[in-house]
């Protein structure tokens, strides 16, 4: 991470960033990576369509990841569970955790070939570089995210990185956001949190006393999940939450925020 932000805390302002699907285009990389991997493993034909395969992979991911966030599984254990549960659907499972780890690593190599930032990330980081302290807060593994940030060439742009596996709690718990602010050396009311999930990121940050910006990217919604009914229009932002569709709109929103004032809930 970059050198510390030296400024009077009474005047300093900070931005805490989510990583996956906010800065890093995880959804696109995951879709391309898992389909590439299934083709290489000779498994794609076990499903009715690539869309079904991707949807089931994401379903197992969400189930296992929820258990990781709840503290029931380690980061590696949730990966193993995903592999075992997904392959059980094909009747071509693997025996034991070592084989599951190897299978996941082959997937990870495909996934990493498609890593990229969203195109609006570098311009906004450049625009906001000098006026804010920048940190990262992620519900993930710190070793995994550090490697990703280095590979994407942005690791030196941030003062701090706080991940759920280091602090024993995960967003939307207030303690996760408080740890992110502490790493920046700023109180919550002087920090904006930018993330793509309404509940986990925006409402969690609001409850912890930060100023939340919900990045509701229209193109970042997984397309392989079956619709449960009519497609709804853009979801309105709850009171106290700033909603943007692109990071290009973030500088304008920051001008509206009263840093130092505790954000109002409701």
């Amino acid at each position: 991470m970059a050198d510390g932000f030296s400024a009077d805390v009474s005047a300093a302002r900070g931005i805490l960033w989510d990583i996956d699907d906010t800065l890093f285009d995880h959804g696109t990389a995951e879709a391309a990576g898992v389909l590439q991997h299934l083709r290489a493993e000779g498994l794609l034909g076990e499903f009715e369509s690539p869309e079904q395969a991707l949807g089931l992979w994401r379903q197992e991911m969400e189930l296992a990841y929820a258990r990781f966030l709840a503290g029931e599984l380690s980061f590696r254990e949730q990966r193993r569970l995903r592999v075992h549960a997904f392959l059980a659907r094909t009747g071509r499972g693997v025996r034991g955790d070592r084989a599951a780890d190897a299978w996941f690593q082959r997937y990870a190599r495909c996934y990493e070939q498609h890593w990229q930032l969203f195109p609006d990330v570098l311009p906004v980081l450049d625009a906001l570089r000098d006026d804010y302290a920048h940190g990262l807060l992620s519900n993930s593994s710190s070793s995994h995210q550090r490697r990703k940030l280095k590979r994407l060439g942005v690791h030196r742009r941030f003062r701090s990185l706080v991940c759920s596996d280091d602090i024993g709690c995960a967003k939307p718990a207030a303690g996760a956001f408080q740890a992110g602010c502490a790493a920046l050396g700023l109180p919550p009311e002087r920090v904006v949190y930018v993330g793509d999930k309404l509940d986990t990121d925006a409402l969690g940050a609001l409850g912890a006393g930060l100023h939340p910006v919900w990045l509701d990217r229209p193109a970042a919604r997984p397309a392989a999940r079956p619709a449960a009914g009519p497609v709804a229009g853009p979801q309105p932002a709850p009171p106290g939450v700033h909603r943007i569709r692109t990071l290009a709109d973030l500088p304008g929103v920051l001008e509206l925020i009263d840093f130092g004032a505790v954000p109002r809930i409701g």
Side-chain angles (χ1 to χ4, degrees):
M1 301 299 106
D3 293 336
F5 179 80
S6 57
D8 180 1
V9 171
S10 65
R13 301 175 296 176
I15 302 175
L16 271 178
W17 298 86
D18 174 50
I19 299 175
D20 293 342
D21 288 323
T22 296
L23 302 175
F24 161 63
D25 189 354
H26 165 73
T28 297
E30 178 192 45
V34 73
L35 295 179
Q36 177 182 334
H37 177 54
L38 292 177
R39 289 188 188 97
E41 297 282 313
L43 288 171
L44 196 55
E46 301 293 327
F47 302 91
E48 294 179 2
S49 65
E51 291 75 20
Q52 184 200 42
L54 179 58
L56 292 172
W57 171 256
R58 284 175 166 161
Q59 180 179 321
E60 296 298 348
M61 180 275 292
E62 290 174 354
L63 292 171
Y65 207 71
R67 294 185 61 187
F68 162 67
L69 296 180
E72 298 176 15
L73 299 171
S74 70
F75 194 70
R76 174 170 286 187
E77 287 169 341
Q78 63 86 22
R79 285 180 165 182
R80 290 170 175 167
L81 180 60
R82 288 161 61 182
V83 172
H84 287 303
F86 179 74
L87 291 181
R89 295 176 177 273
T90 70
R92 294 170 57 181
V94 295
R95 289 182 176 273
D97 289 339
R98 183 172 297 180
D101 289 343
W103 194 94
F104 193 93
Q105 285 304 314
R106 294 195 297 275
Y107 155 67
R109 286 192 288 271
C110 296
Y111 167 59
E112 292 177 17
Q113 291 176 27
H114 302 278
W115 280 2
Q116 61 182 351
L117 298 170
F118 285 103
D120 56 3
V121 171
L122 293 180
V124 80
L125 290 177
D126 287 341
L128 301 175
R129 177 180 54 201
D130 297 331
D131 295 326
Y132 297 86
H134 295 268
L136 299 157
L137 176 61
S138 173
N139 281 354
S140 187
S141 155
S142 56
S143 60
H144 172 68
Q145 295 292 39
R146 283 183 189 278
R147 192 164 68 86
K148 182 189 297 175
L149 293 163
K150 289 185 98 172
R151 180 86 160 273
L152 295 171
V154 294
H155 60 294
R156 297 189 182 278
R157 289 177 175 265
F158 301 94
R159 177 185 179 187
S160 58
L161 169 65
V162 174
C163 288
S164 56
D165 68 339
D166 294 324
I167 58 176
C169 62
K171 301 176 295 182
F177 294 97
Q178 290 162 1
C181 292
L184 280 179
L186 293 172
E189 64 271 16
R190 300 210 64 84
V191 178
V192 164
Y193 189 79
V194 182
D196 67 293
K197 294 180 176 60
L198 176 57
D199 293 337
T200 305
D201 293 323
L203 295 181
L206 184 62
L210 290 75
H211 302 277
V213 176
W214 173 29
L215 176 59
D216 185 22
R217 292 186 183 278
R221 302 288 169 255
R225 296 177 189 171
V231 177
Q235 188 173 358
V241 173
H242 300 272
R243 176 175 172 268
I244 59 176
R245 306 303 295 276
T246 169
L247 290 177
D249 294 335
L250 181 60
V253 167
L254 294 175
E255 294 179 2
L256 303 176
I257 292 175
D258 183 6
F259 285 89
V262 177
R264 296 179 61 183
I265 302 176

